[in-house]
Amino acid sequence: MNYSFHFAPVINRLDQLLSGLVTTIWISAVAIILGFMLGLAGAFAIRSRWRWLRIFLTAYVEVIRNTPLLSQLFFIYFGLPALGIRLDALSAAMIALVVNLGAYTTEIVRGGLDAVPAGQTDAGLALGLTRTQVFFLVVLKPALKIMFPALAGQFTLLMLATSILSQIGVEDLFHMASLIDSATYRSFEVYAVTCGFYLALAVGFRALFALLYWLLFSESAPIQVPPSIATS
């Protein structure tokens, strides 16, 4: 093998990669927050008594989970204009990521809520708590502890999946890497450095979620009974 490694052309354009890295981070952060909120609402709604709503959300979850994110992105960016709905690249990318994550989060949250023993709800009601109080004081934290590892993994996968946004021109990390590759013709060096950035991001995400898990669930908090009930 006579290939000579030259990382200098990549290092000289490191500012472009860092710009793409910042874009990847903030897009991932916004998509994670909005996608989690959508999934949380979806998990509640899919347990509702309205059959039509359950059918709609089940169909949404199945369609999204069984089609590639890239096809969803292309449908929003290239397909919707045929119906008169035109979105810029960043808006289309954000919608695709949030809708995709929302479907996966809906199933994760639903599974976490279903995993909490029904006896805990009965115990809370027996103490005189309302169903809303039971949910927030008794059910929510155990459910979050159960679903947190799966959510953390899904959030990390979403961050890595942002690399496909370069296909519609979003100036993320992978897009900037492609521009540098076209300018320098040092494909090995460019994508080696890019993979290193993605690896560092993934490790950083996992470390952050591990810290959050420790802060939130390091101790099992007892059921907090409102003073009005405790003194009655």
Side-chain angles (χ1 to χ4, degrees):
M1 183 179 68
N2 297 321
Y3 186 81
S4 299
F5 298 99
H6 296 291
F7 284 90
V10 182
I11 301 302
N12 292 337
R13 292 170 173 80
L14 194 60
D15 58 329
Q16 290 180 261
L17 286 178
L18 292 177
S19 173
L21 179 66
V22 171
T23 300
T24 293
I25 292 173
W26 78 257
I27 286 178
S28 299
V30 173
I32 285 171
I33 294 171
L34 296 180
F36 176 71
M37 294 173 61
L38 177 61
L40 198 61
F44 292 146
I46 210 169
R47 295 155 60 93
S48 73
R49 63 176 181 272
W50 292 302
R51 185 170 179 270
W52 64 267
L53 184 57
R54 296 198 307 270
I55 293 174
F56 172 77
L57 287 169
T58 300
Y60 155 66
V61 169
E62 291 303 316
V63 168
I64 296 300
R65 293 177 67 200
N66 290 285
T67 54
L69 175 56
L70 183 60
S71 67
Q72 298 162 19
L73 177 65
F74 277 27
F75 173 79
I76 293 171
Y77 188 65
F78 295 113
L80 291 184
L83 304 178
I85 304 174
R86 299 185 180 278
L87 299 169
D88 60 83
L90 189 57
S91 298
M94 191 61 66
I95 291 173
L97 291 175
V98 171
V99 170
N100 183 272
L101 180 61
Y104 284 93
T105 304
T106 295
E107 277 297 281
I108 293 172
V109 174
R110 182 193 61 77
L113 294 175
D114 289 345
V116 177
Q120 292 189 219
T121 300
D122 296 337
L125 293 173
L127 289 173
L129 302 177
T130 65
R131 289 195 173 275
T132 301
Q133 290 173 326
V134 168
F135 176 77
F136 285 103
L137 299 177
V138 181
V139 175
L140 185 58
K141 188 169 183 178
L144 283 174
K145 185 174 183 179
I146 293 169
M147 69 180 77
F148 193 92
L151 286 173
Q154 194 61 49
F155 294 160
T156 303
L157 288 175
L158 177 81
M159 180 277 295
L160 295 174
T162 58
S163 58
I164 70 170
L165 302 183
S166 62
Q167 298 297 311
I168 61 173
V170 176
E171 296 181 346
D172 68 328
L173 176 59
F174 197 83
H175 179 82
M176 291 303 184
S178 299
L179 294 180
I180 295 173
D181 180 33
S182 299
T184 63
Y185 299 102
R186 309 302 302 185
S187 299
F188 178 90
E189 292 88 340
V190 169
Y191 292 114
V193 173
T194 303
C195 286
F197 274 119
Y198 277 115
L199 178 60
L201 273 180
V203 172
F205 267 55
R206 291 186 180 278
L208 175 61
F209 292 131
L211 175 62
L212 286 175
Y213 186 89
W214 180 81
L215 292 174
L216 293 172
F217 308 115
S218 59
E219 296 180 0
S220 298
I223 296 176
Q224 301 176 2
V225 181
S228 60
I229 295 175
T231 57
S232 61

